[in-house]
Amino acid sequence: MQKLIYLDNAATTKTASEVVNEMLPYFTENYGNPSSIYSIGATAKEAVTKVRERIASSLGAKNNEIYFTGGGSESDNWALIATAQTYEAKGKHIITSKIEHHAVLHTCSYLEKQGYEITYVDVDENGIVKLDELEKAIRPDTVLISVMFANNEIGTIQPIKEIGAIAKAHGVLFHTDAVQAYAHVPIDVDEMNIDMLSASGHKFHGPKGIGFLYIRTGIKIRSFIHGGQQERGRRAGTENVTGIVGMGKAVELSFLRMEESAAKQRELRDYLIKRIKEEVPHCRLNGDGVRRLPNNVNYSFQFIEGESLLIMLDMKGICASSGSACTSGSLDPSHVLLAIGLPHEIAHGSLRLTVSEENTIEEMDAVIDAIKEIVDKLRKMSPLYEDFIKKQKK
Ligand SMILES: *Cc1c(COP(=O)(O)O)cnc(C)c1O
């Protein structure tokens, strides 16, 4: 069997074996319900408490500000919908950016149908939110600003501290979708004036279906799941103990090796960026050169379809992702690539490679060879490319 080269760590990551090992006893022995009073229940409860403390301290937050959820999408839905509903008396206006994840954007469209008003702030050509536009968009009836910490497609890291300061100065709440950033880059909720923050376990080598929402003390947003008294009555449902324990281990591992792991990823990222730029003609790097996640490479190749490139990479055992979303049933190019100003035809020819510290330079070499060969092959079949070459010869 061909060896798999996994370069789609922004979509999900491999669950670390230490994480799996940490989870196993909570299936087999300590399976008690944390709400029960007998000892296996208490053991589970203790484990959940420890993870809550670990996550709180990783953010400079308090234990009772961390609420476990079913992942990033649920956290985003909760933050937006509950804030909108709770603060309706103040106003029905929310500000976000054009490059958010669909967990935020589709929640915003849902809110628009419910009578709320959303302003979608522009980004510059590197995908950085325009701060002056953001500040100008604030109105007396604005209740929330929601801007993602780092973008999942192009890896751009936003000026979160500055956005937090603007929100604070105007008395508006600030939520950030930090699903791509948490456990990858340092975050301090006080220093950055973050009021709410979403994160997800499976984006940092933890299990899927578990995440959390940080909610600053004093913010009285409504509960999202109604039922029992779990999560101080704000998110009902028996705790996903195995998921929480697994996510806790993943947090521990990520924070222990954050710098080392980021340095390794940066090395692989920069190697890919440099060699592709030098060896594949008519390509363009998307996203910011500096303010960028350590794991993210996003290139557009002229005259080709990203989907064809992905399929041919898959035949070589390489897992990557494209900017267009054909696979998810839509032919539209990525809203993020359009927002940074790419024309449709260029946005269609995009490829996202997201590395982890487990990848190697040898794998990068194999991927670069594959990209060169496939891009060349696809261009030879492209009438657009043929025209372009003819025009160049004249
Ligand atoms: C993956 C992702 C989400 C969704 O998280 P899930 O845990 O898969 O629901 C939300 N926002 C961003 C930026 C993401 O990358």
Side-chain angles (χ1 to χ4, degrees), residues 10-11 70-74 76 101 103 148 150-152 177-180 199-203 209-210:
S73 301
E74 183 188 321
D76 287 342
H101 189 273
M148 71 200 317
N151 184 268
N152 47 300
D177 172 342
V179 173
Q180 288 293 332
S200 175
H202 75 102
K203 301 294 177 86
I210 182 73

Side-chain angles (χ1 to χ4, degrees), residues 201-394:
H202 75 102
K203 301 294 177 86
F204 53 91
H205 304 285
K208 294 168 182 61
I210 182 73
F212 67 87
L213 179 65
Y214 156 80
I215 310 176
R216 183 177 290 283
T217 306
I219 296 172
K220 300 261 180 289
I221 65 166
R222 288 182 188 167
S223 45
F224 196 55
I225 307 283
H226 306 282
Q229 279 305 305
Q230 294 90 355
E231 303 302 298
R232 289 169 301 286
R234 294 175 96 176
R235 200 281 188 184
T238 302
E239 294 85 345
N240 175 0
V241 178
T242 47
I244 292 169
V245 165
M247 177 165 69
K249 189 67 187 177
V251 169
E252 181 191 345
L253 296 172
S254 302
F255 280 82
L256 263 174
R257 357 185 244 233
M258 189 183 278
E259 261 176 59
E260 193 188 327
S261 157
K264 173 80 195 294
Q265 292 175 48
R266 256 184 227 111
E267 184 194 335
L268 298 169
R269 176 196 73 182
D270 295 343
Y271 184 76
L272 277 175
I273 289 178
K274 180 168 182 285
R275 282 201 53 200
I276 292 174
K277 182 190 267 164
E278 287 172 359
E279 298 174 34
V280 185
H282 316 299
C283 68
R284 172 196 198 279
L285 179 69
N286 299 312
D288 199 277
V290 183
R291 285 187 280 183
R292 184 179 201 106
L293 285 173
N295 71 359
N296 177 286
V297 176
N298 187 310
Y299 263 107
S300 293
F301 302 101
Q302 251 181 295
F303 316 112
I304 66 156
E305 285 290 335
E307 291 298 304
S308 319
L309 177 55
L310 278 192
I311 292 163
M312 291 169 83
L313 285 171
D314 177 45
M315 294 195 296
K316 292 177 181 288
I318 298 165
C319 309
S321 163
S322 87
S324 62
C326 299
T327 39
S328 53
S330 147
L331 276 169
D332 297 336
S334 138
H335 64 285
V336 176
L337 298 178
L338 295 183
I340 61 172
L342 291 199
H344 276 244
E345 68 275 15
I346 301 208
H348 267 305
S350 300
L351 178 73
R352 178 186 75 182
L353 305 168
T354 42
V355 301
S356 87
E357 65 274 26
E358 284 186 21
N359 291 119
T360 62
I361 288 284
E362 290 71 37
E363 288 179 328
M364 302 303 109
D365 287 333
V367 169
I368 293 159
D369 285 347
I371 291 173
K372 283 161 66 177
E373 181 196 316
I374 297 167
V375 167
D376 193 51
K377 202 183 271 178
L378 289 172
R379 281 181 179 160
K380 284 195 175 126
M381 301 188 295
S382 154
L384 284 173
Y385 186 62
E386 205 178 322
D387 285 352
F388 171 80
I389 295 296
K390 271 187 205 148
K391 272 186 203 138
Q392 270 200 330
K393 282 188 183 147
K394 272 180 200 160

Side-chain angles (χ1 to χ4, degrees), residues 92-152:
K92 297 181 86 170
H93 180 236
I94 290 173
I95 300 170
T96 188
S97 84
K98 287 190 176 158
I99 61 161
E100 298 298 308
H101 189 273
H102 282 138
V104 166
L105 287 181
H106 288 169
T107 303
C108 286
S109 346
Y110 164 79
L111 285 170
E112 282 176 316
K113 288 192 198 98
Q114 307 289 314
Y116 297 89
E117 218 184 308
I118 319 281
T119 300
Y120 301 89
V121 174
D122 265 321
V123 295
D124 68 14
E125 69 278 9
N126 292 336
I128 306 279
V129 167
K130 292 181 176 163
L131 293 179
D132 49 340
E133 241 186 66
L134 179 101
E135 187 158 24
K136 267 189 237 143
I138 299 175
R139 320 188 306 211
D141 61 341
T142 307
V143 293
L144 179 71
I145 294 173
S146 180
V147 174
M148 71 200 317
F149 204 109
N151 184 268
N152 47 300

